[in-house]
Amino acid sequence: MKKQPTLKRFDPISTLVLAIMSLTVLFPLLWVLFTSLKGTQEFYFNIWGLPQEFVWENYVEAWQKTNFGTNFLNSLFVTFGSLAINLIGSTTTAYVLSRYRYRGRRFTNGVYMLSMMIPTIIGLIPQYFLLAGMKLLDTHLGLILVYGLSSIPFSVFTLLGFFQTLPHALEEAALIDGANHYQTFFRIMLPLAQPGIVTVGVVNFINNWNEYYKARAYLSTPTRLTIPVSLVNFVAQCQYRIAWGPLMASCILMIVPTILIYCIFRNSIQKGLTAGAVKG
């Protein structure tokens, strides 16, 4: 009989450390939330306190002045479009690298690993001229290609270890039953890799949703901007007197989709991060 796992005793030091870490994460978020419900005068006279009166008009002003509705749809289109390209390229690449043996496999794997060590900011100027040459500058398609392709090395690195944990017996059984390689991948291996795929998808969703520098460099038309760029433009328009309430309200509206995505897929993310940690 297997021994039942024993619960560890209460550790006050570990609990205190976790509590402090939780506060460092929650306090800025709560401060932004409370600030988004304050008026301008109350913000300057009561920066750290709770709002005396909830000013919900800040959210209406944030939606109107920052053109939030259009920019929100732009961010959704760019993020999900790049995510589709990333997942298609990374899942197929990681599966081939982990399950097939061919000449040049180690070299290909090394190229992907090496590309992760190059700072993304270095490729800003070359990508700019590449998009300009392809007539994709100031287009959502150009930004989708940049986001989707540049994040493939990280996704391949993450999914590579995950595919390696899946048993080869499943593939062999499928091939014996008459399935080809494509059917084995799409019907058997891909569903089993769902936790890892969800983890990669959520991480890339958050990165692309919050990305600013590339969107600022490659987009210029106001109706095509993403949310991070529009927020910075809103601050620039305020000049010397920043409307902190509407600005923080815009930040809250921007944060909500990422929180919802994590809450929906949190179980799959936990499975994906711990995959392969325990054997047997």
Side-chain angles (χ1 to χ4, degrees):
M1 296 179 61
K2 295 183 178 180
K3 294 182 179 180
Q4 296 294 332
T6 57
L7 296 177
K8 294 184 177 180
R9 296 181 179 180
F10 174 75
D11 188 355
I13 298 179
S14 300
T15 304
L16 179 62
V17 171
L18 291 175
I20 294 174
M21 294 177 63
S22 300
L23 287 176
T24 58
V25 174
L26 292 176
F27 179 76
L29 180 61
L30 292 176
W31 184 82
V32 172
L33 177 61
F34 293 146
T35 304
S36 68
L37 297 173
K38 292 181 180 179
T40 303
Q41 293 183 351
E42 185 181 358
F43 170 78
Y44 286 104
F45 288 101
N46 185 22
I47 295 179
W48 304 108
L50 298 175
Q52 301 297 324
E53 182 180 357
F54 292 160
V55 184
W56 296 103
E57 290 79 8
N58 288 336
Y59 286 85
V60 178
E61 185 177 352
W63 188 276
Q64 295 175 348
K65 286 190 175 182
T66 61
N67 198 17
F68 194 89
T70 301
N71 296 327
F72 182 83
L73 294 178
N74 293 338
S75 293
L76 281 180
F77 178 69
V78 170
T79 301
F80 281 106
S82 60
L83 198 59
I85 294 177
N86 175 270
L87 291 180
I88 293 174
S90 60
T91 52
T92 52
T93 303
Y95 177 74
V96 172
L97 289 176
S98 63
R99 317 301 281 193
Y100 293 90
R101 299 293 181 266
Y102 59 90
R103 182 176 299 178
R105 184 180 66 88
R106 292 185 178 180
F107 174 78
T108 305
N109 192 14
V111 169
Y112 277 102
M113 299 304 105
L114 181 62
S115 60
M116 293 179 57
M117 304 178 186
I118 302 175
T120 56
I121 196 67
I122 294 179
L124 193 65
I125 296 177
Q127 289 172 355
Y128 180 90
F129 287 106
L130 182 62
L131 292 178
M134 299 173 61
K135 307 299 182 182
L136 293 177
L137 202 61
D138 194 24
T139 63
H140 289 154
L141 178 59
L143 194 60
I144 287 173
L145 292 176
V146 170
Y147 283 172
L149 298 178
S150 61
S151 56
I152 283 182
F154 164 76
S155 302
V156 170
F157 174 78
T158 305
L159 292 173
L160 185 62
F162 194 90
F163 275 116
Q164 289 175 346
T165 62
L166 300 179
H168 289 270
L170 295 175
E171 295 172 293
E172 296 173 356
L175 293 175
I176 292 175
D177 290 338
N180 55 36
H181 294 285
Y182 296 101
Q183 293 173 333
T184 303
F185 172 71
F186 286 106
R187 295 184 179 181
I188 298 178
M189 307 308 293
L190 205 59
L192 292 176
Q194 180 182 355
I197 296 174
V198 170
T199 302
V200 169
V202 171
V203 171
N204 286 309
F205 176 89
I206 296 175
N207 291 338
N208 297 337
W209 182 266
N210 297 327
E211 202 281 327
Y212 168 76
Y213 293 104
K214 294 179 181 179
R216 172 76 279 179
Y218 305 149
L219 298 178
S220 57
T221 304
T223 56
R224 297 175 182 174
L225 300 180
T226 57
I227 294 179
V229 180
S230 66
L231 291 182
V232 175
N233 291 344
F234 176 67
V235 175
Q237 293 172 2
C238 295
Q239 295 183 353
Y240 302 106
R241 185 176 177 85
I242 300 177
W244 290 104
L247 177 60
M248 295 303 168
S250 301
C251 294
I252 291 296
L253 293 175
M254 178 181 175
I255 293 172
V256 168
T258 58
I259 295 178
L260 291 177
I261 289 293
Y262 177 79
C263 291
I264 294 173
F265 298 105
R266 65 181 184 276
N267 293 331
S268 297
I269 294 175
Q270 293 174 357
K271 293 179 182 178
L273 292 176
T274 58
V278 179
K279 294 183 179 180

